[in-house]
Amino acid sequence: MNHEWMKVIIAAFFEVCWVVGLKHADDLWTWTGTVLAIVISFYLLVKSGEKLPVGSAYAVFVGLGTAGTVLSDIVFFGEPFKLEKILLIAVLLAGVIGLKLVEDEKKGEEA
Amino acid sequence: MAWIALVVAGLFEMFGVTMINKLHKDHSWQPFVLLLVGFAGSFLFLAYALQALPMGTAYAIWTGIGAAGGAITGMVLYGESKHWKRVLFIIMILGAVIGLKLVS
């Protein structure tokens, strides 16, 4: 696990934090934290893209972000586990990751 | 209303990302201001949608519309590749969004 991929993982962690914040923040402090989390997450993702293939970095980021928000829903906020919903989110995620990985492939061919 | 707000948030996201691409080509203040407007609108509408929808569903759809919309904009406006794999992934995303609306 190298340093650049750690940035992607930490960016995804902050991504989950701001999504939780957008739903649950209710005072100045929680909103400040939410905005900070947006900035940190975005900054780390852009930084990681300077060294890593951007499509792959984004694919991992969005995969972790989605898994994190779905799990937070179920574990911390009592959202019921519905198989058909999880499967549809998995199909959606596969589509997003596919689109991003095709971008790297394309750039690889040009190079 | 939450679903409409979510789609609008995704469209703002798509617009913001398109402006990032524009900024790379044309270093002026206009795309920069428009990208700020795009992301601000995106987060506002997403926050509204999240009040009614579960986080996992809303987040996945928001990202999905941003990614699929970005790819469609690239194909239509900027002559990017219309490779069958890209079209298939876009169909998967849009199909899953419709499915999620139907099961919730």
Side-chain angles (χ1 to χ4, degrees):
Chain A
M1 181 62 57
N2 74 39
H3 200 66
E4 298 303 317
W5 284 107
M6 270 319 280
K7 283 185 197 158
V8 177
I9 294 168
I10 298 168
F13 173 78
F14 279 101
E15 180 91 348
V16 177
C17 292
W18 73 247
V19 177
V20 173
L22 279 191
K23 188 172 173 77
H24 297 281
D26 54 4
D27 59 21
L28 182 64
W29 290 110
T30 44
W31 278 113
T32 308
T34 304
V35 172
L36 265 178
I38 291 175
V39 173
I40 295 171
S41 159
F42 198 75
Y43 174 78
L44 286 174
L45 183 65
V46 170
K47 274 286 171 198
S48 76
E50 290 172 1
K51 298 263 171 63
L52 298 171
V54 177
S56 309
Y58 187 80
V60 170
F61 169 77
V62 83
L64 291 173
T66 307
T69 48
V70 170
L71 280 176
S72 305
D73 261 340
I74 295 168
V75 175
F76 302 117
F77 300 103
E79 182 71 23
F81 176 90
K82 277 200 242 154
L83 187 63
E84 70 269 31
K85 199 173 84 178
I86 305 285
L87 287 176
L88 282 165
I89 290 177
V91 171
L92 193 158
L93 187 58
V96 174
I97 292 177
L99 271 183
K100 296 299 160 186
L101 294 183
V102 168
E103 275 171 32
D104 282 352
E105 232 174 64
K106 202 172 58 191
K107 278 175 195 136
E109 280 163 21
E110 279 166 16
Chain B
M1 270 316 276
W3 282 88
I4 295 170
L6 188 55
V7 172
V8 173
L11 294 176
F12 267 107
E13 172 82 1
M14 184 187 110
F15 177 75
V17 173
T18 308
M19 286 305 118
I20 293 184
N21 293 334
K22 206 162 182 245
L23 191 63
H24 283 308
K25 291 181 197 128
D26 159 27
H27 293 271
S28 68
W29 59 271
Q30 271 164 317
F32 184 71
V33 171
L34 289 173
L35 95 84
L36 287 184
V37 171
F39 285 109
S42 178
F43 284 114
L44 278 176
F45 279 97
L46 178 62
Y48 178 81
L50 275 166
Q51 301 312 307
L53 299 173
M55 291 187 295
T57 308
Y59 177 75
I61 291 176
W62 177 73
T63 322
I65 292 178
I72 293 171
T73 314
M75 287 178 188
V76 175
L77 297 182
Y78 300 106
E80 281 179 14
S81 146
K82 298 184 181 71
H83 195 280
W84 65 268
K85 278 192 211 163
R86 297 190 85 200
V87 177
L88 174 72
F89 291 134
I90 292 170
I91 293 171
M92 278 167 70
I93 294 171
L94 299 180
V97 170
I98 294 166
L100 282 165
K101 170 75 177 89
L102 295 177
V103 300
S104 61

